[in-house]
Amino acid sequence: MNDRETDVIVIGAGAAGLAAANRLTKAGLRTLILEARERIGGRIDTRFDADWPGPIEGGAEFIHGKPHETWAIVEAADLPTNEVEGNQWHRSGDRLEPSGQWKEMEDVLGRLEQIGAEDQSFADFSQSHAGNASTEATTAARQYIEGFEAADERLISAQSLRDAERASQRIGADQSFRLPGGYSQVVDWLQTNSEQNSLSVRLGTVVAAISWRPGHVDVESAAGEHWIAPRALVTLPLGVLHAPPGSTGAVRFSPELTDKRPALGKLKMGPVVKLVLRFDEPFWEREAYGGMSFLYLPDELFPTWWTLLPQHVPVLTGWSGGPLADRLSELSDAAILAEGLAAIARGLGMPRGGIERRLRSAHVANWPADPFARGAYSYVMVGGSDATRELSQPVAGTLFFAGEATESGFGGTVASALASGYRAAAEILAMQ
């Protein structure tokens, strides 16, 4: 077997691809990972800068609850974690006040259990089932759908949201945690703890085409290199699977994956734009809203902000998802930063010039504009209850699929990506 032949080719070195490779190599299969970026991690994008008080998380940041897949690595690697703590504040007119957003939102989301066999969009659900819920409650729920789910309320499946809420309760997602050493520690551990003699990772390798027949896969890079294997695992983000032919990052399958089209048509990639700001000091801690963990600004393009409590550091993160992020994603990084500074100045009731003078550094993560992601994470559209399962199904025992878009339940998370990688590895190993 030469260096162009291997047992399994994995497309993508994100959490799903590395989780699968960890299991495959330990089972003795020679595994090659082809990754378009010059780093591993995919939508885990942890960066380090000596001038910052800690890692800069451009992508995944929180561990929501206690999902086994993530915590097994945290515990095996003995990674320190911080539980998110602090107070939540809400801008209402010209004043800041303690936020009751979560309680209001849960009043509406709790009614998702009333959804029957016929699916509908969340927008239609909120009209037909919200009943006597207050305007504030329905607005908070919509903002949650657009922000946390990165979805358009007119498109997202109410049944999928009900299932996600059930899964959220099972893992205790009302608690959230951070890795103060960086989320990249999770994927680093997966790579380091794979069987190194059986693992090869090629970074900066953009896959352009995958030609296949039962028992044979030929993967071609944009540079014209070829690798062959009896099986391949595709962990491309949903946004890349949706990419127009010929666009940067798009992959051509030959034969085409016609059986996957119905599933792909019921799944959509949610947009997120994230802004991480470092200031000269955590000046907000001196104000009446000191101890702030989250700040909600419903009238802004960046409606959600958070601090790094329990760490007392001069960093604020702005988050925009769904339709608002679509609008932001068309702007330059400089214009996105300007929108964020204006939002936080209005939100804290401070002069914008004063905010700008305190700013020391900024990082913009525009995920819809990233050609190798084309969004942040997936959601299910109306009528797509089986779409994730259908997308995950192997083709001819030759092409296998993983990634958060192939995992139902509490999707869109690192835990779901890890679970999908382990599931796909088990499917491949069952073929041996």
Side-chain angles (χ1 to χ4, degrees):
M1 184 176 290
N2 62 45
D3 61 359
R4 297 290 174 178
E5 298 179 5
T6 192
D7 295 324
V8 182
I9 301 172
V10 177
I11 314 300
L18 287 164
N22 180 266
R23 296 284 172 87
L24 294 171
T25 59
K26 288 186 175 180
L29 293 188
R30 285 167 47 96
T31 303
L32 169 66
I33 302 180
L34 302 177
E35 168 56 47
R37 307 177 192 276
E38 294 290 352
R39 60 170 179 82
I40 66 170
R43 285 164 280 169
I44 295 175
D45 184 11
T46 306
R47 307 191 182 194
F48 297 90
D49 187 315
D51 293 330
W52 285 65
I56 306 164
E57 299 287 17
E61 181 170 345
F62 298 100
I63 303 174
H64 300 285
K66 291 293 186 76
H68 169 75
E69 295 82 3
T70 308
W71 282 92
I73 296 173
V74 169
E75 292 166 2
D78 196 23
L79 302 178
T81 60
N82 286 335
E83 184 173 358
V84 175
E85 61 181 45
N87 304 315
Q88 300 188 15
W89 291 81
H90 179 89
R91 168 62 68 175
S92 179
D94 61 354
R95 68 184 186 277
L96 279 178
E97 55 189 32
S99 177
Q101 179 159 327
W102 283 97
K103 185 177 186 304
E104 294 169 345
M105 173 197 71
E106 289 169 356
D107 181 45
V108 175
L109 295 184
R111 305 181 191 203
L112 286 166
E113 290 297 333
Q114 300 172 25
I115 290 290
E118 186 173 346
D119 200 6
Q120 60 184 151
S121 71
F122 180 78
D124 289 341
F125 158 80
S126 63
Q127 288 185 351
S128 60
H129 290 79
N132 60 355
S134 68
T135 300
E136 291 78 10
T138 55
T139 299
R142 175 183 57 78
Q143 291 171 341
Y144 169 80
I145 298 305
E146 293 182 348
F148 188 81
E149 301 290 346
D152 187 326
E153 67 164 347
R154 300 165 299 178
L155 301 177
I156 191 169
S157 157
Q159 286 183 345
S160 74
L161 286 170
R162 177 201 60 199
D163 295 343
E165 286 300 301
R166 291 172 177 173
S168 174
Q169 292 172 12
R170 287 195 297 270
I171 63 172
D174 54 335
Q175 288 181 289
S176 291
F177 304 83
R178 289 190 187 88
L179 297 164
Y183 223 130
S184 58
Q185 295 172 111
V186 170
V187 286
D188 289 342
W189 185 91
L190 285 169
Q191 181 178 14
T192 301
N193 284 273
S194 296
E195 179 52 58
Q196 295 301 306
N197 290 334
S198 299
L199 177 64
S200 177
V201 180
R202 284 187 55 115
L203 302 178
T205 303
V206 179
V207 171
I210 299 175
S211 301
W212 64 277
R213 62 179 184 271
H216 179 88
V217 180
D218 183 324
V219 178
E220 180 182 1
S221 75
E225 299 173 287
H226 286 261
W227 297 268
I228 61 174
R231 296 177 183 88
L233 170 59
V234 179
T235 73
L236 296 169
L238 179 68
V240 175
L241 291 174
H242 278 155
S247 59
T248 302
V251 178
R252 182 179 70 258
F253 289 85
S254 179
E256 293 186 13
L257 301 178
T258 53
D259 289 347
K260 298 295 182 184
R261 286 178 184 167
L264 289 169
K266 291 296 185 180
L267 297 170
K268 190 169 180 62
M269 195 65 160
V272 166
V273 176
K274 193 174 180 184
L275 180 62
V276 190
L277 305 176
R278 178 176 67 87
F279 295 94
D280 56 352
E281 63 173 337
F283 53 87
W284 51 88
E285 292 190 352
R286 299 198 307 264
E287 306 297 332
Y289 41 82
M292 175 179 70
S293 60
F294 281 84
L295 172 64
Y296 301 109
L297 309 175
D299 298 324
E300 302 290 348
L301 286 176
F302 278 102
T304 303
W305 293 81
W306 58 77
T307 69
L308 295 185
L309 281 179
Q311 293 179 291
H312 296 273
V313 294
V315 175
L316 285 176
T317 298
W319 175 277
S320 182
L324 294 178
D326 272 331
R327 291 165 57 186
L328 277 171
S329 68
E330 299 295 327
L331 304 178
S332 66
D333 284 0
I336 291 171
L337 173 58
E339 289 286 352
L341 291 173
I344 198 62
R346 287 189 291 263
L348 296 178
M350 301 177 65
R352 178 171 170 174
I355 295 287
E356 291 178 343
R357 284 191 294 274
R358 291 182 175 277
L359 183 67
R360 293 295 176 266
S361 187
H363 175 74
V364 176
N366 185 350
W367 287 102
D370 184 321
F372 303 123
R374 297 177 180 265
Y377 41 83
S378 63
Y379 64 91
V380 177
M381 293 194 289
V382 177
S385 59
D386 291 330
T388 53
R389 181 187 59 81
E390 292 169 359
L391 184 59
S392 73
Q393 295 301 298
V395 175
T398 302
L399 296 181
F400 298 79
F401 298 86
E404 53 83 18
T406 70
E407 202 69 18
S408 59
F410 194 55
T413 62
V414 173
S416 60
L418 294 170
S420 75
Y422 295 144
R423 182 255 312 147
E427 292 169 346
I428 293 170
L429 292 172
M431 301 291 298
Q432 301 303 304

